Amino acid sequence: MAKNLVIVESPAKARTINKYLGSDFVVIASYGHVRDLVPKEGAVDTEDFSMKYDIIEKNKKHVDAISREVKRADAIYLATDPDREGEAISWHILELLRERNILNGKPVHRVVFYEITKKAIRDAIEHPRTLSTDLINAQQARRALDYLVGFNLSPLLWRKVQPGLSAGRVQSPALRLIVERELEIERFESKEYWSIDADTIKDEQGFRAKLVQFQSEKITQFSVTDAENAGRVRQALLDSAQGSLFVKSVEKKQRKRNPAAPFTTSTLQQEASRKLGFSAQRTMRTAQQLYEGVDVGSGSTGLITYMRTDSVHLANEAVAELRSFIGDRYGDKALPDKPHVYKTKAKNAQEAHEAIRPTGVERTPDDLKPYLSDDQLKLYTIIWKRTVACQMIHATLNTTAAQLTCAAGAFRATGSSIADPGFMSVYQEGVDDKKADNEEKFLPELLEGETIKLNDVVTEQHFTTPPPRYSEASLVKTLEEFGIGRPSTYASIISTLQSRSYVEMDKRRFVPTDVGKIVNRFLTDHFDQYVDYDFTAKLEDELDAVSRGELEWKPLMHGFWDNFHSRVDEKKNVSRAEVLQARELGADPESGRPVSVRLGRYGPMVQIGTREDEEKPRFAGLRPDQRMDSITLAEALDLFRLPRELGETPEGEKVSVNIGRFGPYVRFANKFASIKEDDPYSISLERALEIIEAKKKADLEKILKTFDGEDVQILKGRWGPYITDGSKNARIPKDKDYEELTLSECQAMLAAAPEKKSKSKAKAKTKAKAKTQTKAKAKGKAKSKAKSSGGKSGASNE
């Protein structure tokens, strides 16, 4: 029997650790979080902020397995991740073990390590500590805040905007950033300007020089703003130069470019987005695999240090290993005299972790290629290269700036060349929005006092461009700069914005949807403080202060909740019409009724008429490429050309096209076929018949067996053959061959199958649930008011 039990989060991590500990240890995984707040009203008591937790159902079996091992062990080591969340998981496990009364005085140790290597694991086991109350309190405060914001704001969005929406403490300010950038782009007015360059040549090497002065006036971006003026300046320069320019001055310098710091969570997400096209979620998932361990031929091995970190610090041992490797591989000239020391600049750096680095620099990407997946290899490669480069000597660049003149004006030519690549031979950091001006240019050898040939003066028209939409990399960078959220949460924030259809991706850039804009407007109009960047960052500061033991968490919670819940109560009376703000487009020429665009239950739509009209209003959904704030009256009326009657099938079935909840479709008789690529507004009968024929063929191939004179059929389904009579479906047991089933056997299976869920019943159930939640909330508030008034009854019915 093993004397010691080590508890970690994941089975991959357990496998890696297990090989470093002897037979006296058993390593078991909790499979992530084991408890969470109960998903209902009252999970957080807003009087004393006590919390009601319950075991996460899918992990109950893992908690039971841990309990069994605890009974057998003499000592327990909680070895979850070395951050606030890891500390909270350890605490939840310990609380569950105490509730089950199975510890029996056994010692419980907390151990932390930042890399899964033999040395790190053994050091951690030899130097355990107790659980950190400060870290646990900080994590509890975060969870309570997220719950209170989500549980109170989300139902408000369901009622005022659309079902299924959500608001979050960090998610909502992130959405505000994206929407405000879009509004900035929409308001942007492009301005025309012209650049004027000298096209010159020396020693058969052509190069360009930018006009910086004309007739003693300094040239700025908007000095020349039209073609006529540009042509006048060009001609004056050509007349003055007469085919040559005088080299008035040549300035040569050497400048140093230092390597970037090793990766933090945020910079890794940004660089993986720029260089690899990875989403933040994909980056973190892959990094977790590399951290927890990959089989590299000698068993599972942790390849990088812990991937959730704000620190750029490297351990002394790691620096020494890097310098030795660089000297051996690239020569001593690639080493600086002293190691580079990087200081963390993050506004709210978490506990002192190391930067993300390889656990062994001698494991090169080429060595690991046979053992890693494509994603693992790509991510490991940039981590390895960035880490090696950060301890290499600076790059040395030669820069040249020359002034070329004629009587009418002066030009400036700049160029650079690499004297010594230094760290750049291994790695260069990417940039978000690269400009052509930043590209490296090379100049021929220029001498002061000489004259060089002028081929031409080139004018080029330009227009100012709006600021770019956020990419994942630039959004993560901006969130970090504002101090909003934490890098470890950015992946889930971005994922939520996409899953709630608040944003879409266009050329890997975030574009807010109509729903996203309406939600943002509602929150900024009515909950401005809670989507304010400074307020959100200040709250993060305070939560960090709790984790350091500098601030008590419950007074912080009271300070937030007292103002927040009164604001929620106040905004319940805001009308849905005020929130949605339907946009009037004009009048329908046929009926004279008003045409408006607004958000409906299933998305943006155009409406002809009003509820008060005798004739019912008509509705049409917007196309995917249309937006509520830009659609015109003509475009809106065009949407009502559907449904279109196209004719008939050869069998005499009427054929029409329309757009439904799930997209465009062809209808024939009472059946439907999806339109995948064609435009429903222009599709021909011939093309529609092709789609119908393909649908009929697919339906026939789906039928595996029929019974004469009966509605019962055996069909091919996604999960295998099944029986149906049109109203009920029944699974076929795995030990049964569908070809041998009789009609009576099929009818028996259908009789035993559950009834199909009615949509109306499902809707009624949802409404009943919402009503119950509202009543519970009202009851909770009445109780709260009674407490605050000394138990006197004074709460009114809502």
Side-chain angles (χ1 to χ4, degrees):
M1 182 180 76
K3 294 179 181 178
N4 305 294
L5 177 66
V6 179
I7 303 171
V8 297
E9 292 102 326
S10 80
K13 189 173 171 183
R15 283 192 296 273
T16 308
I17 291 172
N18 200 48
K19 76 173 193 175
Y20 298 132
L21 298 172
S23 57
D24 284 344
F25 289 84
V26 166
V27 187
I28 192 169
S30 70
Y31 288 76
H33 287 271
V34 292
R35 290 200 309 181
D36 199 3
L37 291 170
V38 293
K40 60 184 179 181
E41 182 76 19
V44 177
D45 187 321
T46 52
E47 292 295 317
D48 62 1
F49 294 99
S50 58
M51 302 186 202
K52 294 176 185 173
Y53 291 103
D54 203 357
I55 294 178
I56 296 169
E57 186 59 35
K58 67 176 183 178
N59 281 351
K60 186 178 183 302
K61 61 184 178 183
H62 303 303
V63 174
D64 291 341
I66 289 170
S67 298
R68 287 193 295 272
E69 292 295 340
V70 166
K71 290 175 183 177
R72 300 189 188 109
D74 294 334
I76 295 97
Y77 291 84
L78 301 169
T80 50
D81 286 343
D83 55 14
R84 279 187 290 257
E85 197 167 356
E87 202 76 13
I89 292 172
S90 282
W91 176 72
H92 281 300
I93 292 170
L94 183 58
E95 289 295 294
L96 283 172
L97 297 177
R98 284 172 176 161
E99 284 175 14
R100 296 185 175 198
N101 202 26
I102 55 176
L103 287 173
N104 299 325
K106 294 174 183 179
V108 178
H109 307 291
R110 173 72 170 122
V111 293
V112 294
F113 39 84
Y114 300 97
E115 59 184 271
I116 304 178
T117 60
K118 187 173 184 178
K119 182 179 182 299
I121 300 302
R122 291 198 171 277
D123 282 351
I125 295 292
E126 289 169 11
H127 301 93
R129 61 168 172 81
T130 57
L131 281 168
S132 168
T133 305
D134 294 331
L135 290 178
I136 294 163
N137 287 342
Q139 187 61 24
Q140 283 216 97
R142 282 176 185 278
R143 185 67 191 92
L145 282 168
D146 291 341
Y147 168 87
L148 291 171
V149 171
F151 207 86
N152 286 275
L153 273 189
S154 297
L156 207 55
L157 290 175
W158 302 343
R159 292 193 295 273
K160 307 298 183 188
V161 184
Q162 190 175 284
L165 302 180
S166 70
R169 183 175 58 84
V170 179
Q171 164 199 322
S172 299
L175 174 62
R176 181 186 166 194
L177 276 172
I178 294 168
V179 173
E180 286 186 347
R181 176 58 59 88
E182 193 69 18
L183 294 174
E184 195 179 347
I185 293 168
E186 289 170 4
R187 288 192 298 265
F188 184 82
E189 292 182 9
S190 186
K191 291 183 180 179
E192 181 182 2
Y193 68 98
W194 288 70
S195 63
I196 300 174
D197 293 345
D199 181 5
T200 61
I201 189 169
K202 184 189 176 185
D203 299 336
E204 298 185 354
Q205 182 181 341
F207 64 98
R208 282 193 175 189
K210 182 181 179 182
L211 182 67
V212 292
Q213 187 178 309
F214 178 69
Q215 294 178 344
S216 303
E217 291 287 330
K218 183 182 177 183
I219 295 292
T220 63
Q221 183 179 10
F222 297 107
S223 292
V224 183
T225 56
D226 56 62
E228 184 181 348
N229 196 21
R232 182 182 64 80
V233 172
R234 172 181 178 271
Q235 193 57 52
L237 290 165
L238 286 170
D239 292 345
S240 171
Q242 292 296 305
S244 65
L245 292 173
F246 176 71
V247 181
K248 185 177 180 180
S249 65
V250 179
E251 186 180 6
K252 293 184 178 181
K253 289 182 180 178
Q254 274 200 341
R255 63 184 178 90
K256 296 176 182 177
R257 183 184 295 175
N258 291 315
F263 282 128
T264 62
T265 304
S266 167
T267 54
L268 178 64
Q269 290 174 354
Q270 292 171 50
E271 195 75 337
S273 175
R274 296 183 196 113
K275 287 185 180 288
L276 308 178
F278 283 14
S279 66
Q281 203 166 36
R282 185 176 173 187
T283 298
M284 295 308 290
R285 181 174 61 247
T286 308
Q288 182 127 3
Q289 293 163 2
L290 295 171
Y291 165 69
E292 291 183 343
V294 178
D295 190 343
V296 294
S298 56
S300 188
T301 302
L303 298 177
I304 64 169
T305 53
Y306 190 54
M307 64 285 162
R308 293 186 181 92
T309 175
D310 294 327
S311 175
V312 291
H313 166 71
L314 292 176
N316 291 337
E317 297 87 348
V319 172
E321 184 186 346
L322 282 164
R323 285 177 65 84
S324 174
F325 178 85
I326 292 164
D328 291 343
R329 187 168 180 124
Y330 302 103
D332 290 340
K333 65 180 178 57
L335 278 171
D337 293 336
K338 293 180 181 178
H340 292 303
V341 177
Y342 298 94
K343 291 187 179 178
T344 300
K345 294 179 183 177
K347 185 179 176 184
N348 285 319
Q350 281 196 44
E351 313 81 66
H353 298 171
E354 262 196 274
I356 302 169
R357 62 168 175 83
T359 54
V361 71
E362 76 284 349
R363 284 191 286 265
T364 68
D366 285 342
D367 293 339
L368 294 178
K369 192 172 183 179
Y371 308 105
L372 303 183
S373 68
D374 285 347
D375 279 8
Q376 289 170 348
L377 181 62
K378 286 175 182 175
L379 196 67
Y380 182 81
T381 298
I382 66 169
I383 293 170
W384 186 91
K385 286 184 173 181
R386 174 103 159 205
T387 308
V388 171
C390 86
Q391 288 303 319
M392 290 179 70
I393 198 164
H394 59 262
T396 304
L397 306 177
N398 290 327
T399 62
T400 304
Q403 190 171 32
L404 315 177
T405 64
C406 64
F411 297 88
R412 181 177 174 83
T414 57
S416 64
S417 60
I418 298 171
D420 180 358
F423 76 90
M424 288 170 59
S425 62
V426 174
Y427 185 83
Q428 289 190 64
E429 187 176 32
V431 292
D432 288 320
D433 300 295
K434 196 171 183 178
K435 296 180 181 177
D437 291 350
N438 295 333
E439 291 176 6
E440 198 163 65
K441 300 170 187 173
F442 297 95
L443 296 179
E445 186 66 29
L446 298 173
L447 303 173
E448 284 186 16
E450 72 174 328
T451 300
I452 60 170
K453 184 182 178 183
L454 174 66
N455 289 329
D456 196 4
V457 173
V458 181
T459 62
E460 192 172 348
Q461 184 186 37
H462 306 275
F463 292 92
T464 55
T465 56
R469 289 170 172 150
Y470 286 108
S471 63
E472 281 214 19
S474 58
L475 180 63
V476 165
K477 185 178 182 182
T478 306
L479 288 170
E480 187 177 38
E481 286 172 349
F482 273 110
I484 296 171
R486 282 295 164 268
S488 58
T489 64
Y490 293 158
S492 62
I493 291 165
I494 290 168
S495 175
T496 301
L497 291 176
Q498 291 175 301
S499 66
R500 294 286 184 265
S501 297
Y502 290 162
V503 298
E504 295 171 343
M505 297 302 281
D506 180 23
K507 298 174 184 173
R508 294 180 58 204
R509 300 276 172 165
F510 291 107
V511 183
T513 62
D514 288 326
V515 174
K517 288 180 178 179
I518 288 170
V519 167
N520 179 70
R521 187 174 63 215
F522 172 69
L523 294 175
T524 51
D525 286 352
H526 301 286
F527 293 90
D528 52 322
Q529 180 181 356
Y530 303 99
V531 290
D532 179 77
Y533 305 134
D534 291 337
F535 175 83
T536 308
K538 182 174 178 286
L539 196 56
E540 290 290 353
D541 284 338
E542 291 171 335
L543 289 166
D544 282 344
V546 172
S547 72
R548 296 189 298 269
E550 298 166 6
L551 200 65
E552 291 293 323
W553 72 283
K554 289 191 176 180
L556 168 64
M557 294 297 301
H558 274 293
F560 175 86
W561 173 249
D562 294 345
N563 293 321
F564 177 71
H565 90 92
S566 60
R567 180 71 67 94
V568 172
D569 285 345
E570 177 191 328
K571 298 301 178 181
K572 280 180 180 175
N573 297 323
V574 176
S575 71
R576 189 165 188 265
E578 183 184 340
V579 174
L580 297 181
Q581 295 181 15
R583 180 172 156 247
E584 296 290 334
L585 300 178
D588 175 25
E590 290 184 12
S591 64
R593 296 199 294 169
V595 180
S596 60
V597 60
R598 66 181 180 84
L599 189 68
R601 182 176 180 84
Y602 300 117
M605 65 179 190
V606 174
Q607 178 175 323
I608 297 179
T610 65
R611 293 178 185 275
E612 290 74 32
D613 296 345
E614 282 187 31
E615 186 183 345
K616 285 184 177 180
R618 294 170 63 201
F619 304 96
L622 269 64
R623 299 182 196 177
D625 61 338
Q626 291 177 324
R627 291 288 177 264
M628 288 172 56
D629 50 11
S630 60
I631 190 172
T632 64
L633 176 63
E635 290 167 341
L637 292 172
D638 193 51
L639 296 172
F640 289 90
R641 290 198 290 122
L642 296 180
R644 287 175 59 220
E645 300 292 337
L646 298 183
E648 294 183 348
T649 66
E651 294 78 21
E653 301 161 317
K654 285 186 177 180
V655 178
S656 63
V657 292
N658 204 350
I659 298 177
R661 185 180 172 190
F662 302 108
Y665 62 87
V666 177
R667 180 171 183 169
F668 56 105
N670 289 319
K671 294 183 179 179
F672 305 87
S674 293
I675 299 174
K676 301 294 184 187
E677 297 171 359
D678 300 84
D679 180 0
Y681 292 90
S682 59
I683 191 172
S684 65
L685 174 62
E686 289 74 22
R687 176 63 185 139
L689 291 175
E690 289 175 8
I691 293 171
I692 291 168
E693 191 59 35
K695 170 69 174 171
K696 287 180 176 179
K697 186 179 178 184
D699 286 347
L700 281 172
E701 289 172 355
K702 191 178 177 182
I703 299 171
L704 298 175
K705 189 172 183 177
T706 58
F707 298 93
D708 290 341
E710 296 289 341
D711 292 332
V712 177
Q713 292 179 315
I714 300 176
L715 304 180
K716 185 195 296 181
R718 186 177 177 186
W719 313 113
Y722 68 95
I723 305 164
T724 184
D725 61 3
S727 59
K728 284 176 78 175
N729 296 338
R731 289 181 181 177
I732 298 174
K734 289 182 180 178
D735 59 346
K736 295 277 187 182
D737 184 343
Y738 75 85
E739 292 181 348
E740 295 177 3
L741 288 175
T742 64
L743 175 61
S744 58
E745 285 176 318
C746 290
Q747 288 171 332
M749 289 182 198
L750 285 168
E755 294 288 340
K756 278 187 178 179
K757 286 184 180 177
S758 163
K759 287 184 181 178
S760 57
K761 284 182 182 178
K763 284 182 183 177
K765 191 176 178 183
T766 303
K767 284 183 179 178
K769 187 178 178 183
K771 197 173 180 182
T772 304
Q773 285 188 349
T774 306
K775 282 183 179 178
K777 211 173 261 191
K779 190 176 177 183
K781 288 199 171 97
K783 186 179 174 184
S784 174
K785 286 180 181 177
K787 278 186 183 181
S788 62
S789 59
K792 293 178 184 177
S793 174
S796 61
N797 292 327
E798 286 189 88

